[in-house]
Amino acid sequence: MRRAIELAMRGRGGVEPNPMVGCVLVAGAKTIAESWHEQFGGPHAEPLALRMAGDAARGATAYVTLEPCCHERKKTPPCVPALIAAGVARVVAGCMDPNPMVNGQGLALLQQAGIEVEAGVLEKECRQLLAPFIARTTYRRPYVTLKWAQTADGKMAGPMGRRMAISNATSNRLVHDLRARCDAIVVGVKTAVSDDPLLTSRAKSSRRLLRVVLDPQRRLPPTRQLVRTATAEDPVLVFCLAEYATIHGIGPGVEIVPVDSDPLRRDHLHLRSVLERLAERGATHVLVEPGPGMIRAFCEANLADRLWVIRSPERVEHDSAPAAPVVDWPGVAELDVAGDRLTEYLNPRGEVYFAATESADMLKAREDAKCKVQSAK
Ligand code: AOF
Ligand code: ZN
C-alpha cells in the first residue's frame, strides 16, 4: 500500500478534480503490475494495472489506495466489473471513496462476487492523499495551501514593509511549479498593490490558473498589472463585500464577486464563502500567497490546510519590517533548496487532516530540487 501511495502521487497536477489513486497487483510474493491514475478523464489506476498484468491477474491481489469505483454514467467504465472479470482473488483498499455514488458500494459488490476484500490499510495516509478530493466532495471547498517566504529573523518584507526579494531563484522556480499544479492563486489587495504581481505560472501546465484578489473595500487600482492583463479568457476575480460590488467595474476581464462579511469582523470577507465560490468555479486546490494579516485570517477561520514556508538565511534586523506569525503546527517535511529551507506543515486541526505525511507536491519539489541543483552545476 505504501508503494501504491507513492505511485498515486505521480498523478498530482494531472488528475484533479479527480483523486490521486495508485494500484499494485501482487501474485504470490511478486509484483506483477504497478499503475496510477494519470490524467483527468483518462483510465483509472485499476484497469491500467489489469491491462499490464493480462492473464496473470487471475488469482492475484490488488492493493488500491481508494475503494474501486462502481458507478456508471461518467468518463470511464467502472473498475469493479473490470476487477471481477479479470478474476482477481483479493482487493485491499486503503480507504473508502467519499464520492456518494461509491462510498462502500464498490467493496460490497466485489464481496458479493466472491472476491476477498480488506479495507482500511494505511487508511489515514490514503485519506491524506485524498484531502483535496474530500475537501471538494464533503466540504464543497478547495484545499488551501498558504505559501510565503521569510527571513531568518522572521520578516516577510523589508523595513517599512518595502518589497524585498527573500527566497532564492531555485525556491522561486519550485513555487512556480506548485502554482502550475493549482487551480487558483489568491492574494490580498495589499500585496496586489505593493508587489504588483502578475500571478501567472512560468512553469508548463495544462491547467488554467485563476487569479484572485481579496479586496473587501475595492481598493485595487486599474493601474496594477493584474487588472491590465485580465481578459475574458484569463480573468481576474476580485472578491469584495456586497456593498462595494456596485462601484463601476475596473477593467475588462476583471470579475467582481460579492460575498458576505465575516460575522466577527464586518470589514473582512467571509473566507469560507470565498472558497465556496472558487469551488463552484472548479477549483480543487487554491494557493494563497498571503501577508501576515491574511495568514492570521485563514488560520483563525481554520481554513488553512497546509503551509509552505521558505526560510532564507538573510536577516533584515529592522523593527518596522512586518513579521510572519509564528507557526506552531508540526512540520511534516523539510527540504534544503540551494540554501533556503522549505518546510511543509499540515494543519493538525484542519477538517481534511488525516495523517502527518509529506504531500505529493513536496515529493515533486524534492525530485525537482535535485534536478535543478544538478542542471545549475
Ligand atoms: C477508482 N480508481 O483510479 C479513480 C477513482 O469520471 P471518472 O470515470 O474518471 O470517475 C471519477 C470518479 O471515480 C471520482 O469521482 C472518484 O469517485 C473515482 N475515482 N476510482 O476506482 C481511480 N481515480
Ligand atoms: Zn475506477
Side-chain angles (χ1 to χ4, degrees), residues 148-348:
W148 73 85
Q150 63 181 65
T151 58
D153 56 342
K155 305 296 190 183
M156 294 181 75
M160 312 302 290
R162 272 199 299 276
R163 189 180 180 183
M164 177 187 143
I166 296 176
S167 45
N168 66 34
T170 313
S171 300
N172 296 344
R173 277 205 298 272
L174 292 183
V175 167
H176 274 270
D177 293 343
L178 175 65
R179 283 181 177 183
R181 292 189 292 269
C182 292
D183 307 294
I185 177 158
V186 177
V187 293
V189 66
K190 276 196 205 134
T191 302
V193 171
S194 67
D195 291 5
D196 198 14
L198 264 174
L199 302 185
T200 49
S201 171
R202 263 164 262 143
K204 282 200 303 285
S205 172
S206 53
R207 311 269 291 269
R208 232 184 66 180
L209 187 62
L210 197 57
R211 301 179 290 165
V212 179
V213 184
L214 304 189
D215 184 10
Q217 282 85 24
R218 291 281 308 277
R219 295 201 170 122
L220 183 67
T223 49
R224 299 295 92 175
Q225 290 202 85
L226 274 172
V227 178
R228 295 208 317 256
T229 59
T231 60
E233 299 75 48
D234 184 11
V236 169
L237 264 52
V238 174
F239 282 87
C240 69
L241 297 168
E243 62 261 42
Y244 291 88
T246 50
I247 304 175
H248 60 83
I250 41 177
V254 177
E255 285 182 42
I256 306 298
V257 188
V259 290
D260 289 343
S261 64
D262 184 325
L264 299 176
R265 279 198 269 176
R266 292 273 165 215
D267 54 341
H268 282 56
L269 301 174
H270 187 236
L271 290 178
R272 194 176 280 273
S273 303
V274 169
L275 295 177
E276 284 166 1
R277 292 297 91 71
L278 291 175
E280 285 161 13
R281 298 187 63 123
T284 308
H285 199 138
V286 165
L287 179 65
V288 184
E289 302 203 352
M294 246 171 64
I295 298 173
R296 285 192 193 91
F298 270 91
C299 290
E300 278 166 21
N302 200 27
L303 287 170
D305 297 306
R306 175 173 79 161
L307 310 178
W308 266 28
V309 183
I310 299 164
R311 292 183 172 86
S312 81
E314 280 86 40
R315 305 180 75 86
V316 177
E317 308 282 12
H318 209 285
D319 286 344
S320 69
V326 174
V327 178
D328 59 1
W329 301 347
V332 297
E334 213 160 33
L335 179 63
D336 176 79
V337 187
D340 285 352
R341 195 135 201 87
L342 165 62
T343 310
E344 178 171 78
Y345 301 88
L346 299 180
N347 174 3

